[in-house]
Structures are given as C-alpha cells and as structure tokens.
Amino acid sequence: MVNADYFTGLKAKISDAQSCDEIQEYANEASAAVTGALAEIGKQLEALAPILALLSPPSASPGAIVGYLTGLITGLVDPIVKPAFTYPSIITGLMAELANINTELTAKIAEFNVGSITPCSITMPSATPPTIPPALVSAIEAQNPPTP
C-alpha cells in the first residue's frame, strides 16, 4: 500500500522548508519515491503477463486437462496474481500523494515569493504510472463484479 506516513512527513518538510533549493530537493524526492514505486509495479505487471494468460482454462479441452488447468490456476496462478489486484489502488494512491505534494510545493513557493526580489521556481519531475494489463483488469472485475 501507499506509505501515507512518508508523504505526510515529506509535506511537513516542505512546509518547514527555508529555501527554494530545499523545496526543489523535496520535489525531486517526492517524484523519485513515486516514480520508483510505479516502476516497480510496472516490472511486476510485466512479469505477470504470461501468468495472467493462464487465469482462464481453455473451454474446448477435455475434462482432465481442464481439471488440471483449473487446479493449476487455483493452486499456483491465483496466489501469484492476487497480490497484483491491489496495484491499481496503489497507483491511484501514489498519484494522489504526488498531487498533494505538488499542492504543498506550490503553496510553499508562493510563500517564498511574497516580497521576494528573486522568485522561487522549481521543476517538479513527472511520474508516469504503468499501464494495467487488460487481463489483470478483467481478472479484478471478475473477482469484484459490479453491483446492480
């Protein structure tokens, strides 16, 4: 899950920042933390691609093969794939925290720029979330069908 304590602490550091350089440092730190977590999730999602193909047994196979594949899915594949079901919410949480950090940075910059001869300006590095494979989306939806 998203480490809310880390982001709360980082927002406090931003609020207490004493220089524009310090704010830039925190912007870089926030972006690096989110980008690193997103990259790790992306690697995990890529590694899951071949396994996700096994989530549904072939319908035209003989009963013994279907039984074997079903056992393989429930005994091996499901335990490997199920933790990835949390990735979409983790990604959403990370992007929300990055937006909160950006809001905090903007407020602190505005505070520094009041009456300043040299305006404070920083660059917030971007973070791009990985794409959730359609097979994972389908599996999540199958586990959590919409309520009518």
Side-chain angles (χ1 to χ4, degrees), residues 13-27 105 108-109 111-113 118-122:
K13 287 180 184 179
I14 292 167
S15 181
D16 293 339
Q18 300 298 310
S19 70
C20 191
D21 289 340
E22 201 174 349
I23 293 175
Q24 181 65 62
E25 178 185 328
Y26 296 139
L105 289 166
K108 192 61 177 185
I109 289 168
E111 181 183 315
F112 277 145
N113 286 340
T118 330
C120 176
S121 176
I122 67 160

Side-chain angles (χ1 to χ4, degrees), residues 43-69:
K43 287 179 196 174
Q44 293 296 322
L45 291 172
E46 284 179 33
L48 283 173
I51 296 169
L52 289 169
L54 298 174
L55 283 174
S56 301
S59 58
S61 298
I65 294 174
V66 171
Y68 171 80
L69 288 175

Side-chain angles (χ1 to χ4, degrees), residues 53-138:
L54 298 174
L55 283 174
S56 301
S59 58
S61 298
I65 294 174
V66 171
Y68 171 80
L69 288 175
T70 301
L72 182 66
I73 290 167
T74 58
L76 176 66
V77 178
D78 276 355
I80 294 170
V81 173
K82 292 277 170 88
F85 283 24
T86 62
Y87 288 164
S89 63
I90 293 171
I91 290 169
T92 300
L94 286 168
M95 297 307 289
E97 288 295 352
L98 192 58
N100 291 338
I101 291 292
N102 198 34
T103 299
E104 191 73 31
L105 289 166
T106 302
K108 192 61 177 185
I109 289 168
E111 181 183 315
F112 277 145
N113 286 340
V114 171
S116 176
I117 295 172
T118 330
C120 176
S121 176
I122 67 160
T123 302
M124 180 64 171
S126 64
T128 304
T131 301
I132 304 295
L136 181 59
V137 172
S138 296

